[in-house]
Every structure is written in C-alpha cells, then in structure tokens.
Amino acid sequence: MSPLPPLLLLLLSLEPLGAALIRIPLRRARGAPNPLREWGQPGEPPRMGAPSPGNKSISVSLSNLLNVQYYGDIGLGTPPQIFSVVFDTGSSNLWVPSRRCLFFSLPCWFHHRFNPKASSSFKPNGTKFAIQYGTGRLSGILSEDKLTIGGVSGASVMFGEALWEPSLAFAASQFDGILGLGFPILAVGGVRPPLDALVDQGLLDKPVFSFYLNRDPEAASGGELVLGGVDPAHYVPPLIFLPVTLPAYWQISMERVTVGPGLTLCPRGCAAVLDTGTPVITGPSEDIQALNGALGGAPLPAGAYLIPCSLLPTLPAVSFLLGGTWFNLTAQDYVIQIVFGGVRLCVSGFRGLDVPPPAGPLWILGDVFLGAHVAVFDRGDPRGGARVGLARARARGAGPDHAQAQFPGGGRPG
C-alpha cells in the first residue's frame, strides 16, 4: 500500500500538535501503516541502542516520514512492548494505544497497543484523561509502568492508555503515540512528564535535550534527539541562547520576519513557540497569506499553499530575527516536496493559524524551521531560567570548516 495518498491528506490538515546524555538517533521511515497487522500485538523490538560508555547515554532510533513526521521507538513494561512515538515539545504527556481500546477506535487497527497483562511491572491507576491536539483528540485511562528509552530502562512513568481516538489523523500516522517534552504545567492530569521522571530517578543528570532533524529525503537516518545535552557535531557554532518567556510551551520573543528584501512581518516583535510536534511554520493568517503571496503560492483547501516547483531556484530567503541574530531559510528549507505518481508537488511550509489572546497571536516554528537548525531546550534550574539555544544544522558528513562556510549560524537576512 502506498503511503502517499493518506500522507498528502495529512499534510493538508496538519496543525500544532558534561552531563549524562540519552542519545536517540533518528531513523527514516519506510513503508506505510499496515491495517492487516494483527491487532494488539506489540512490535518486534528494534535496535534500541546502548548507553555510551561512562555517560549513561541512550540511543533509540527515530524516523522521518517525508519530512512531515519525526518519531522513534520506546519500550513500556517488562519485557518492553515497543511503540513508535513523536517526541513533542508542544505537550507534556506520554500515551500509547491500549489493548483495551474501543472496537470502533479506528487508529487501534493501524497501531501497536499496550497489553498490561503482558507486563510484570504494570501498576494500574485508572484515572481518566483526555487530550486535545491541533489535529486530533483522544481519551483513556492513566497507568504506571517501566519506560525503556534506548539502552536505559527501569524508569517508572505514568502514561496514558488511549481507549478512544476518534480523529482520522491518528489513523493515517505512522507513529503509535506521543511523548511530550513540554513543561510540567502542560501535563494533563498533573502527571509527571517522562523527562522529569528520568531526572528524578537519576537516569538523566539535567532536564536538557536537543533536536537534530535530518531533512535529506534520501538519507536512512532521520536525525537525532539527545536527552541531557547536545552533540557539537550536529551544528555550526555558535549556539545563540534565548530566554523562554512563557515556561509552558517553549515560547520565545521574535523581533521580526522578512521575506527577501520586500516584505517585513511581525515588525514590532511577536511571540514564537518552538514545537517539534508541528511539521510546518504557522503564523497569523493575514501574515501567512502575504508571505505565501510573495512566494507565488496558490491557496489549496484547508489552508495549504501550492508553489510551482519551477520557482524554487528563484524564491527569496525567509529570515527570522531571534535574539539579535538572523536565522535564514532557503526555498529548499521551507518548501515540502512530495513525489506522487511520478509527479513532483511543492507545498509551502507556511500555514495560517490564528491563536486568540491571551495566548496569541503567535508564530509556531515547527519542523520546517527546526530542520534547518539544531535546537537545545534547557529547562534551567533554581539559579537560572529556561532557555533555548539555536544554531545552523551542520550538513551531514561535512567537516567543521566546510560547514562554517556553507551554513553560517546567523547573520544578515537572506
């Protein structure tokens, strides 16, 4: 079964969703969800990685599906039942489908389900929970069991067993569930987020993590998530650190946005959220309409814009001024290219989303932005507040000198 028709539909409907290191290499997805896979059977354990010597590092493979979904494998229970999850900075709960989910919950037919009877370390809780994402909602019950992430196991975590997933977006997704990396205040039901549980139980030195998302559609690797720090090999120095202005989402201040030399948006500054769970960049509808107009985009249903692929070599840079440094995106960064039936489609990576006050208006810098940059998410400590570090991602296989020349970390707008 070809994955492209449901993925194209999904793309048109997407909205926001020296320390010890846990290293999670990102793996590129192949194939499509299989609805004929035996319902409720856990997946075969993938290569979950092993701790790096002396550092408590953990490696878990993550996948990149057409630069639209990034996800990776974790284990829940004893022995571990394997699930693919999105590592989402825009939420703070961990959930996976349950073997006890309702029969008419269609996504259960497409995904692995957690079986509490197959785990010797399972602890029932039974508290009901419900979560609303930009592209779907779900509900279920809370449970407790052991988390395996890479080569490290034994962390007790509270997670959700999804019993009802009415949204078709989850059925079309290759991931089974979501692991939230937002702040504890976002956690539904007051659950301790997985990152905090790892720190509390001594499996991670500090609540810091970083993302490197590989945007090369031909690469086998989808990038890497590092829990506990950042790998310098992933980026071109320097890292530019920005304070988090609202410690719930990873929200920062943005000075302005420019499209080539002729269009300036957010001229008096605005709020921006860094969100790995959102595949595109969103902003106020009026701004995004002007931006896509400057790119020659034609509106499609559900707020997407189609761009003639022949225009890519001539399209202007889109630049974001953050902390006094310009972070530039080229057309290769912000245009999502899909080949379907021998035809190449070019879809704009900018979508309109109006977030009402008091939370909005704001921009969401999703994977289109984060794919071009390495982002370090630092929750801070009592002596210092939370912050985000950004630097241009290094081309895979490029040496430091080559990367510095080709990919400056900041500078003047495009």
Side-chain angles (χ1 to χ4, degrees):
M1 178 189 302
S2 170
L4 288 173
L7 282 172
L8 183 57
L9 177 63
L10 181 64
L11 178 61
L12 296 178
S13 64
L14 281 168
E15 297 176 11
L17 291 149
L21 301 179
I22 300 177
R23 303 179 65 87
I24 305 170
L26 308 179
R27 185 186 70 242
R28 183 164 296 280
R30 300 292 182 190
N34 183 4
L36 301 180
R37 178 170 57 197
E38 186 170 356
W39 198 30
Q41 294 300 315
E44 294 183 5
R47 291 184 300 170
M48 296 280 283
S52 298
N55 263 346
K56 291 195 237 176
S57 301
I58 303 174
S59 294
V60 180
S61 293
L62 300 185
S63 301
N64 168 14
L65 183 61
L66 298 179
N67 289 343
V68 173
Q69 295 175 0
Y70 288 87
Y71 53 94
D73 295 314
I74 63 168
L76 283 171
T78 306
Q81 299 173 45
I82 308 305
F83 300 91
S84 293
V85 298
V86 169
F87 292 89
D88 177 27
T89 59
S91 64
S92 299
N93 288 81
L94 167 61
W95 66 267
V96 296
S98 173
R99 186 177 178 86
R100 297 176 281 183
C101 70
L102 299 178
F103 181 81
F104 292 104
S105 183
L106 183 62
C108 285
W109 289 92
F110 287 80
H111 297 100
H112 301 123
R113 302 188 302 153
F114 178 76
N115 183 1
K117 294 183 179 180
S119 172
S120 62
S121 52
F122 174 78
K123 295 181 180 179
N125 180 285
T127 302
K128 295 181 179 180
F129 80 96
I131 301 178
Q132 176 71 54
Y133 296 98
T135 51
R137 59 188 175 92
L138 62 117
S139 59
I141 57 174
L142 296 177
S143 299
E144 184 178 349
D145 215 325
K146 301 295 185 181
L147 170 67
T148 298
I149 184 166
V152 171
S153 60
S156 295
V157 296
M158 192 75 69
F159 68 99
E161 290 188 60
L163 304 179
W164 177 237
E165 299 176 55
S167 304
L168 292 179
F170 288 134
S173 300
Q174 286 214 354
F175 60 85
D176 301 310
I178 293 176
L179 189 152
L181 291 168
F183 288 77
I185 194 172
L186 290 182
V188 171
V191 171
R192 194 71 169 156
L195 180 70
D196 297 78
L198 289 168
V199 175
D200 293 345
Q201 297 170 44
L203 298 175
L204 191 66
D205 288 348
K206 54 186 179 181
V208 178
F209 58 94
S210 60
F211 277 91
Y212 163 66
L213 304 180
N214 190 350
R215 304 293 279 183
D216 180 357
E218 301 301 323
S221 169
E224 186 173 53
L225 164 64
V226 178
L227 298 180
V230 61
D231 186 344
H234 287 161
Y235 66 90
V236 179
L239 275 168
I240 306 299
F241 280 94
L242 309 160
V244 170
T245 57
L246 182 64
Y249 301 101
W250 290 92
Q251 183 170 316
I252 58 177
S253 293
M254 183 163 65
E255 288 97 308
R256 63 182 178 274
V257 180
T258 63
V259 184
L263 179 62
T264 297
L265 306 170
C266 172
R268 291 180 293 276
C270 49
V273 170
L274 296 165
D275 184 9
T276 58
T278 299
V280 294
I281 295 174
T282 74
S285 295
E286 185 175 344
D287 287 350
I288 295 300
Q289 183 178 2
L291 189 157
N292 280 309
L295 301 179
L300 294 173
Y305 285 81
L306 192 66
I307 295 177
C309 295
S310 60
L311 293 181
L312 263 62
T314 63
L315 291 179
V318 179
S319 303
F320 302 80
L321 185 58
L322 303 167
T325 298
W326 287 101
F327 294 87
N328 307 320
L329 298 182
T330 68
Q332 293 299 321
D333 296 324
Y334 63 70
V335 174
I336 299 172
Q337 302 183 51
I338 301 173
V339 178
F340 174 53
V343 177
R344 184 168 61 125
L345 298 177
C346 293
V347 180
S348 169
F350 299 98
R351 299 284 298 274
L353 180 66
D354 293 311
V355 180
L362 57 78
W363 291 65
I364 298 177
L365 306 182
D367 296 341
V368 165
F369 178 86
L370 295 171
H373 303 93
V374 166
V376 181
F377 299 83
D378 183 355
R379 286 264 296 275
D381 55 41
R383 296 170 296 174
R387 60 181 186 164
V388 172
L390 293 171
R392 185 74 192 192
R394 192 185 303 280
R396 182 168 289 273
D401 292 338
H402 173 76
Q404 180 68 43
Q406 188 173 3
F407 298 113
R412 297 181 61 85

